[in-house]
């Protein structure tokens, strides 16, 4: 009982529900391991008693919580303060406010921002805590809009170096905004990757979420490129010629996108450009960037420089270098100043091109522009975990618990943030992360947004079945999000597919966070939660698999097979008893308005694949079907027929059945009839691509995250060809006409 009480005091759940009406108790040894990761010893009865006493003497008697949160309609609870306590606030702007006797409502009237609250009792006790004063809601998107969803690496133009880049992004935004009337472009995470070779191609297992990856740079758009001369110019021309060959191999030779080969060329070109002196104005802008980014950028660049010498896994570095604040690291930092400056310069250049892409989007008339994607976690060996070790739970990985569709659960190989460390730091790591992502964004998508409330922690070396839910302060996490989003003037989209804890969607909607609604999963299951049924579970598993999931390195999968539980989970869920007779398709008017509505996502089958049966054929070929192929084909055929019938009944398929392009238009016409604030078109759908960008449950069996956008025949389409595609223009006319 004592250990369970200790767990609850620290936000660790002592049970979970794998299915409705069933409860599973968390094992004692799991509680011990999770509490240890939170700095609490619960290994013996004596240790439990000591920890309980320490809690009572510490957090239990604290004058103030670690972080105080206030917003206009929700003052903080300060009822525990002794009578006669006086409060004083140091504001973010440097001022002070003496509030006198505790008046929680007075805190809500302070300017929005991150302040410091000080309490002093008549007996002389004092306490200080960060005070977050946040708006009630994140900004709403300006009106209804439609736009593209795209994985940037897959979007090659005739100018890119073997994979899509920020120049291509700016061009896509400028063209689609002007020619098609689109309001946004939603991207995959552009976070910095753990360097290879081989580099993990998944954008959802980054080294750092704080800084973008310079592999996305358009080399020729860097101003110093024009100043290259002599042998440097000759070498740059040679690199550009090799990049042309790389690009041709992908576009014309059937080669996969090779991120490592692209980076090898770009890195050498960037070394040449780094040697070119910056103009006075450029130097001043660079210095401003360094000052603005501060310690976070220096740490990131230092990790990159040390990784060049000792490899990308800091856990295997010499002892003196594993601590970013150690004397050994300080000495090496001094010796590596040039390399650190190089990596700082790359971060600045990437930031500049991101800003240029967002300007291009806004100049083209986009109301939102770029929608960046925040991955749910980071790689355990990367820059973020090295620089912020106190903020991450050592020896833990996040994942998903066992449920009715996957008895083994999931381990995503990503270390979780410690909720206690975040609160003690005034949520500074989270604030800085959001601020960096929102610098050049009109909106932010948050992967697995339910993680703002709780995450499934799996102790290292144990199967996902032996994990536990750890709770985060959802009010604080949402308040920080609302504050940073308002400062940036950006909307927020939460990926909330799958089984969601009761109350979470309501809490997100109350703060103005849009949800994610996928056409195939919007059903009436009769149980209240719209996605709590087998088919929606497939969406949750797929979303969990984007990097929280299946397309990850084999060593991150518990059984080492490279497929692991996530793959089986998706296969089983996709094959689960279909919503057909059991669950009615929601009418367009029954959809929620606060959502981004799409037909598919980056790790679900493309629309053309569903319409033609190519998705089932692919999973059959790779051995991913949960049941006999005949049964799976029958289920897919039944569901497709059900949807086609629905579209015909609603007059959305006047062309008649049997026409693939017409059916793709019809499902998007359906989306337009919903009240969704944003409607997204998966860019490969616009040209009939049959191949998913990510096939959850695979590693080397399928080229996840390495495919260029292609037509029905598998031939890659350049950005120039996309812009001229009659099929794309016909589809997008449906959407632009739908908003008139």
């Amino acid at each position: 009982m004592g250990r369970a009480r200790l767990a609850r005091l620290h936000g660790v759940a002592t049970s979970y529900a794998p299915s409705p009406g069933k409860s599973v108790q968390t094992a004692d040894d799991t509680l011990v391991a999770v509490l240890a990761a939170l700095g609490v010893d619960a290994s013996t009865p004596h240790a439990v008693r000591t920890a309980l006493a320490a809690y009572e003497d510490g957090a239990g008697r604290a004058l103030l919580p670690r972080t105080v949160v206030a917003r206009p309609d929700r003052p903080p609870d300060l009822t525990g303060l002794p009578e006669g306590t006086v409060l004083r606030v140091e504001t973010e702007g440097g001022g002070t406010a003496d509030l006198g006797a505790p008046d929680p409502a007075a805190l809500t009237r302070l300017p929005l921002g991150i302040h410091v609250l000080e309490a002093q009792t008549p007996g002389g006790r004092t306490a200080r805590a960060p005070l977050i004063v946040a708006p009630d809601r994140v900004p709403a998107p300006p009106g209804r809009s439609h736009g593209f969803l795209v994985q940037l690496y897959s979007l090659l133009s005739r100018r890119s170096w073997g994979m899509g880049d920020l120049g291509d992004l700016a061009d896509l935004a400028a063209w689609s905004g002007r020619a098609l009337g689109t309001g946004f472009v939603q991207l995959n995470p552009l976070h910095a990757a753990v360097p290879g070779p081989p580099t993990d191609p998944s954008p959802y297992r980054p080294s750092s979420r704080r800084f973008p990856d310079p592999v996305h740079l358009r080399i020729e758009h860097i101003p110093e490129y024009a100043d290259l001369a002599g042998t440097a110019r000759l070498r740059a021309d040679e690199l550009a010629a090799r990049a042309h060959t790389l690009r041709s191999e992908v576009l014309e030779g059937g080669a996969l996108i090779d991120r490592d080969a692209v980076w090898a060329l770009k890195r050498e070109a960037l070394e040449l450009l780094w040697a070119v002196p910056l103009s006075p104005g450029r130097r001043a802008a660079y210095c401003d960037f360094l000052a603005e980014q501060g310690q976070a950028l220096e740490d990131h660049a230092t990790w990159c420089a040390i990784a060049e010498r000792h490899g990308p896994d800091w856990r295997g570095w010499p002892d003196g270098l594993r601590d970013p604040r150690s004397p050994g690291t300080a000495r090496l930092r001094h010796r590596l100043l040039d390399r650190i400056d190089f990596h700082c310069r790359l971060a600045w250049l990437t930031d500049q091109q991101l800003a240029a892409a967002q300007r291009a989007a806004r100049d083209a008339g986009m109301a939102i522009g770029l929608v960046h994607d925040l991955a749910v976690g980071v790689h355990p060996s990367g820059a973020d975990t090295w620089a912020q070790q106190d903020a991450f739970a050592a020896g833990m990985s996040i994942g998903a618990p066992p449920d009715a569709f996957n008895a083994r659960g999931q381990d995503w190989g990503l270390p979780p943030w410690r909720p206690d460390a975040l609160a003690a730091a005034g949520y500074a790591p989270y604030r800085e992360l959001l601020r960096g992502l929102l610098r050049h964004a009109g909106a932010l998508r948050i992967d697995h947004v339910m993680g703002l409330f709780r995450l499934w922690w799996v102790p290292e070396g144990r199967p996902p079945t032996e994990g536990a839910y750890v709770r985060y302060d959802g009010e604080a996490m949402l308040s920080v999000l609302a504050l940073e989003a308002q400062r940036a003037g950006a909307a927020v989209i939460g990926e909330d597919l799958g089984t969601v804890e009761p109350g979470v969607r309501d809490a997100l909607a109350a703060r103005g966070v849009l949800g994610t609604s996928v056409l195939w999963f919007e059903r009436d299951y009769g149980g209240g939660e719209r996605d709590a049924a087998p088919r929606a579970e497939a969406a949750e598993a797929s979303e969990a698999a984007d990097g929280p999931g299946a397309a990850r390195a084999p060593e991150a999968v518990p059984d080492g097979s490279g497929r692991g539980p996530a793959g089986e989970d998706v296969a089983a869920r996709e094959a689960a008893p279909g919503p057909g007779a059991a669950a009615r398709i929601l009418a367009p008017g029954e959809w929620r308005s606060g959502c981004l509505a799409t037909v598919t996502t980056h790790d679900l089958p493309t629309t053309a694949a569903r319409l033609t049966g190519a998705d089932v054929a692919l999973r059959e070929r790779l051995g991913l079907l949960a049941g006999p192929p005949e049964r799976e084909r029958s289920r897919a055929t039944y569901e497709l027929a059900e949807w086609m019938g629905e579209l015909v009944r609603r007059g959305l398929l006047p062309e008649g059945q049997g026409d693939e392009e017409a059916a793709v238009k019809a499902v998007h016409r359906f989306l337009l009839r919903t009240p969704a604030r944003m409607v997204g078109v998966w860019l490969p759908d616009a040209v009939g691509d049959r191949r998913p960008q990510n096939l959850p449950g695979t590693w080397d069996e399928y080229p996840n995250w390495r495919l260029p956008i292609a037509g029905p025949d598998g031939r890659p389409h350049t950005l120039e060809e996309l812009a001229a595609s009659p099929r794309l223009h016909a589809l997008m006319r449906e959407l632009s006409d739908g908003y008139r």
Side-chain angles (χ1 to χ4, degrees), residues 3 26-36 42 396 459 462 466-467:
R3 184 174 288 141
T26 306
D28 274 357
D29 55 353
T30 296
L31 294 179
V32 170
V34 172
L35 285 168
M396 293 288 142
R462 300 187 186 185
E466 297 179 17

Side-chain angles (χ1 to χ4, degrees), residues 75-94:
D77 182 5
L78 300 178
T79 55
L81 290 173
E83 186 176 353
T85 298
V86 295
L87 300 180
R88 181 173 179 270
V89 174
E90 297 173 7
T91 65
E92 187 177 49

Side-chain angles (χ1 to χ4, degrees), residues 185-275:
V185 175
Q186 179 180 299
L187 302 159
N188 57 286
L190 302 183
H191 309 320
V194 178
T199 299
D200 186 341
S202 170
Y204 291 89
R205 293 192 82 224
S207 168
S208 173
R209 297 185 293 176
R210 179 64 184 81
F211 295 99
D213 199 312
V215 75
H216 300 112
L217 283 167
R218 170 68 64 84
I219 298 297
E220 295 87 345
H221 285 186
I222 298 171
E224 287 70 40
Y225 189 81
D227 296 328
L228 289 172
T231 57
R233 166 57 64 185
L234 292 175
R235 183 56 183 159
D237 291 343
E238 292 173 3
L239 293 171
R242 289 169 58 189
H244 173 79
T245 300
L246 261 185
R247 180 176 64 244
S248 297
E249 289 172 350
V250 172
L251 294 176
E252 300 160 12
L256 298 175
I257 292 169
D258 187 339
R259 182 191 183 104
D260 289 326
V262 173
W263 177 236
L265 296 179
K266 289 190 176 184
R267 183 180 58 231
E268 187 173 348
L270 290 164
E271 298 275 6
L272 297 173
L273 294 172
W274 179 63

Side-chain angles (χ1 to χ4, degrees), residues 356-560:
Q358 177 65 350
R359 282 196 304 273
R362 289 296 178 86
D363 289 347
M366 287 190 174
I368 297 174
L370 304 185
V371 181
H372 287 295
D373 195 353
L374 172 60
V376 70
V378 293
H379 198 285
S381 71
D384 282 1
T385 55
W386 177 74
Q388 300 175 338
Q389 292 174 45
D390 291 343
F392 289 93
M396 293 288 142
S397 173
I398 59 176
D403 57 30
F405 304 96
N406 178 5
R408 296 197 297 173
Q410 299 179 57
D411 181 346
W412 301 338
L414 307 171
W417 263 335
R418 285 180 55 164
D420 58 330
L422 287 178
Y427 293 86
Y430 178 48
R431 287 189 277 119
E432 292 171 1
L433 170 60
L434 292 173
R435 199 167 299 169
L437 285 166
L438 290 166
R439 281 173 63 84
H440 310 300
L444 177 67
R445 175 191 181 271
I446 299 180
D447 189 45
H448 194 72
V449 72
M450 297 83 78
L452 299 182
F453 298 84
R454 67 176 184 178
L455 285 170
W456 182 255
W457 287 23
V458 181
E460 185 177 359
R462 300 187 186 185
T465 52
E466 297 179 17
Y469 272 119
V470 176
R471 187 157 297 282
Y472 294 75
D473 186 339
E475 170 66 19
M477 299 290 277
L478 284 176
S479 292
V480 171
L481 176 62
L483 177 62
E484 295 302 332
Q486 184 173 98
R487 285 173 162 171
V492 178
I493 303 158
E495 184 275 292
D496 62 345
L497 298 172
T499 301
V500 181
E501 183 183 11
V504 165
R505 283 200 180 93
D506 290 339
L508 293 168
R511 304 302 292 271
V513 177
L514 303 183
T516 300
S517 294
V518 177
L519 179 101
W520 311 108
F521 307 139
E522 289 294 305
R523 300 268 184 166
D524 178 10
Y525 299 104
E529 287 288 351
R530 72 200 314 133
D531 290 332
R535 280 295 202 177
E537 287 287 349
E540 180 192 37
S542 298
E543 274 301 322
D546 27 313
R552 62 179 184 266
E555 64 269 17
V557 181
D559 65 5

